Amino acid sequence: DKAKFYRSVKVEGNTIAYVFERPDGPFLVYWNEIMNTEGSIKLDKGTSKVLDALGGNIDVKSENNTIVLPVNKNTYYLMCSGISAEELVNAASKIQIKGLNPIKVIRTQLSIVNDKPAIIAEISNQSSREQDVTISTMQKPVWMANFIKEKWTIAPMSNKEFKWNIFVNDDVDNNNTVKLAIETLKDTTIVEIPLKIMKCKYLKVSPVIDGVGNDEMWKAVKPYVLDKWVNISTSYNEKGIYFLFDVQDNEVANYKDFTDIAVPVWKTDGIEFFFDWDRETDINNPVFNEDDTQLMFAVKGNSALSKDEINKGSDISLGNKNFSIDKANMKSKKTEAGYSAEIEILWSCLDALKLTKKSILGFSISVRDIDKTSDERKRVIWSGTNDNYKDTSGFGLLILER
């Protein structure tokens, strides 16, 4: 009844711990939702005992001022006397958890650093001691001039972010991955980062947006192939950015073709774009926000009601709400194999977003194939996941070449 909260304690292995004060000495309350193991705490003075949640005594090993504590999902109380609350905090922060692999890779990501493509690895030291790590590539990749082999020390109970710039040449395609080895004295972790990079070719001329795609300029652009049924060509100039799609689809269907059922606007044969217009600034913020835009291009189907149509994502995101839809244009044409589509997005769209054009954009594309019952037959997502509309962490990069 007379216990008073003193402070929380960072303990390795995601152990939750708090120190309280009472008249006859401080005590530590702790538990761990993940592990079922033991932890060692060193108390250089005073006396102590361990209680369970019901107040029953727990038998523990003790030798040379070191107590071996049970660590699991149950709540335990380490009752102390003869030491101060702050001394107990210091001792608890150095508890060593048995069987803990202290180094965890918590994030890997394709990124932008100093206006150049880069990779990021964020590594967490979950122990109460410094940890030495070596980060290396197992072979010299085409996307870097030299091997990576760097040794670092990560402070106790902290995260460290590692960044390396990469270069993109014609040997890099959408099937490349960055493979890193993170080595400690105990273990080696291999992580792979997909190299989702698309290069956008600079061409002075703009295509005629008619869906045909027979402009002479497109012959200078090498298309990207997604999942063997979608070809994408892309270019840009001072006016805007342009895309040409050639999609294999044995029956082109628009959501307005289904007059007997209510079909949402996104459930259509068509193309979905995701832009992070200022990727480098908010690379650590995965939330879809004011510099992110989702655009949905529905291609014309078979009914008289359907047409080429452009829609934005939810207005919850200011990047969608503030985007002027008249800054985008799209036309599609049916082909023997499916359809082709040309898309234009004017750089002036950035004015309403209060942004300036960057040389590298966060980017992804999704292409849907809907059958005649409005069910999704197949879908290809170039980079990221089905949550791209709200989570930008999986976006690739669109590089504006000069």
Side-chain angles (χ1 to χ4, degrees):
D1 294 339
K2 297 180 180 179
K4 180 182 177 183
F5 175 72
Y6 184 70
R7 58 178 284 192
S8 60
V9 189
K10 276 190 173 183
V11 179
E12 67 180 27
N14 293 311
T15 304
I16 300 166
Y18 303 94
V19 170
F20 290 81
E21 292 180 296
R22 60 194 178 101
D24 50 352
F27 64 94
L28 176 74
V29 182
Y30 73 93
W31 66 92
N32 189 307
E33 295 285 354
I34 302 171
M35 304 186 73
N36 184 9
T37 183
E38 297 175 339
S40 299
I41 184 171
K42 189 172 183 180
L43 297 173
D44 292 326
K45 61 180 182 178
T47 60
S48 62
K49 62 181 178 180
V50 180
L51 306 179
D52 62 20
L54 298 177
N57 280 296
I58 303 294
D59 291 330
V60 295
K61 299 176 185 176
S62 179
E63 185 176 354
N64 297 326
N65 297 327
T66 299
I67 305 169
V68 180
L69 304 172
V71 176
N72 51 54
K73 65 182 180 179
N74 297 320
T75 302
Y76 295 98
Y77 300 80
L78 176 62
M79 315 299 294
C80 300
S81 61
I83 65 170
S84 69
E86 188 61 28
E87 287 172 327
L88 180 55
V89 167
N90 291 335
S93 67
K94 298 173 184 175
I95 291 175
Q96 296 182 11
I97 304 296
K98 183 179 179 181
L100 173 70
N101 181 3
I103 294 297
K104 301 289 184 184
V105 180
I106 60 174
R107 179 173 67 104
T108 58
Q109 195 170 14
L110 185 62
S111 181
I112 306 168
V113 175
N114 298 324
D115 203 31
K116 296 179 181 178
I119 54 173
I120 289 177
E122 187 175 358
I123 300 175
S124 174
N125 176 9
Q126 300 182 0
S127 80
S128 58
R129 291 159 289 171
E130 288 185 342
Q131 295 291 327
D132 294 326
V133 298
T134 300
I135 304 175
S136 61
T137 49
M138 289 168 285
Q139 59 184 16
K140 179 182 172 300
V142 296
W143 41 264
M144 187 163 282
N146 300 296
F147 287 94
I148 296 173
K149 188 162 187 180
E150 299 179 0
K151 292 185 178 181
W152 294 86
T153 298
I154 304 179
M157 309 295 291
S158 66
N159 297 349
K160 190 172 181 66
E161 192 176 73
F162 303 90
K163 301 178 181 180
W164 302 272
N165 280 113
I166 62 177
F167 66 84
V168 181
N169 56 29
D170 290 336
D171 294 322
V172 176
D173 61 34
N174 288 301
N175 297 315
N176 284 116
T177 58
V178 176
K179 188 176 287 188
L180 297 176
I182 292 98
E183 302 173 66
T184 66
L185 291 175
K186 290 185 177 181
D187 200 8
T188 298
T189 301
I190 308 298
V191 295
E192 293 191 13
I193 307 172
L195 253 191
K196 291 295 185 178
I197 295 176
M198 191 175 291
K199 294 184 290 184
C200 184
K201 192 176 184 69
Y202 176 81
L203 297 172
K204 286 185 177 181
V205 288
S206 303
V208 176
I209 306 300
D210 57 10
V212 178
N214 60 356
D215 305 78
E216 189 69 21
M217 55 157 286
W218 285 124
K219 295 179 181 179
V221 180
K222 180 182 177 181
Y224 289 85
V225 181
L226 305 188
D227 206 27
K228 298 181 179 180
W229 58 282
V230 179
N231 284 8
I232 307 169
S233 302
T234 179
S235 70
Y236 80 102
N237 55 28
E238 282 74 19
K239 181 183 176 185
I241 187 168
Y242 308 95
F243 297 87
L244 171 63
F245 285 81
D246 183 11
V247 179
Q248 296 179 28
D249 188 337
N250 61 2
E251 185 172 9
V252 180
N254 181 281
Y255 76 102
K256 288 184 177 178
D257 292 343
F258 309 103
T259 56
D260 55 335
I261 55 175
V263 178
V265 65
W266 54 265
K267 204 169 185 181
T268 187
D269 279 345
I271 300 152
E272 197 170 12
F273 281 0
F274 303 91
F275 288 98
D276 186 342
W277 303 103
D278 194 11
R279 183 68 165 165
E280 183 170 2
T281 300
D282 65 350
I283 188 67
N284 291 327
N285 179 14
V287 178
F288 217 86
N289 54 37
E290 62 272 7
D291 67 346
D292 305 310
T293 303
Q294 175 190 11
L295 297 173
M296 295 169 283
F297 297 86
V299 300
K300 179 177 171 57
N302 295 311
S303 71
L305 294 174
S306 72
K307 62 180 181 179
D308 291 330
E309 185 177 330
I310 307 172
N311 291 283
K312 301 187 292 183
S314 169
D315 278 356
I316 293 175
S317 162
L318 290 178
N320 289 329
K321 183 178 181 179
N322 296 333
F323 184 91
S324 299
I325 204 72
D326 61 352
K327 302 299 183 182
N329 184 20
M330 186 268 280
K331 293 291 183 183
S332 71
K333 291 289 183 183
K334 289 187 179 180
T335 64
E336 290 185 6
Y339 66 88
S340 61
E342 282 182 295
I343 294 171
E344 172 188 56
I345 301 172
L346 302 179
W347 292 123
S348 55
C349 72
L350 299 175
D351 296 341
L353 302 178
K354 299 180 180 179
L355 297 171
T356 57
K357 185 179 73 174
K358 306 295 183 181
S359 61
I360 306 179
L361 310 176
F363 181 66
S364 189
I365 297 171
S366 167
V367 182
R368 271 193 178 87
D369 181 358
I370 302 297
D371 67 18
K372 61 184 179 181
T373 64
S374 84
D375 291 328
E376 187 175 290
R377 180 185 290 117
K378 57 185 176 181
R379 183 184 181 197
V380 58
I381 301 173
W382 175 64
S383 185
T385 69
N386 196 46
D387 288 336
N388 279 345
Y389 70 98
K390 62 180 180 180
D391 180 355
T392 66
S393 60
F395 284 14
L397 301 180
L398 182 66
I399 299 178
L400 307 183
E401 290 190 310
R402 283 306 294 254

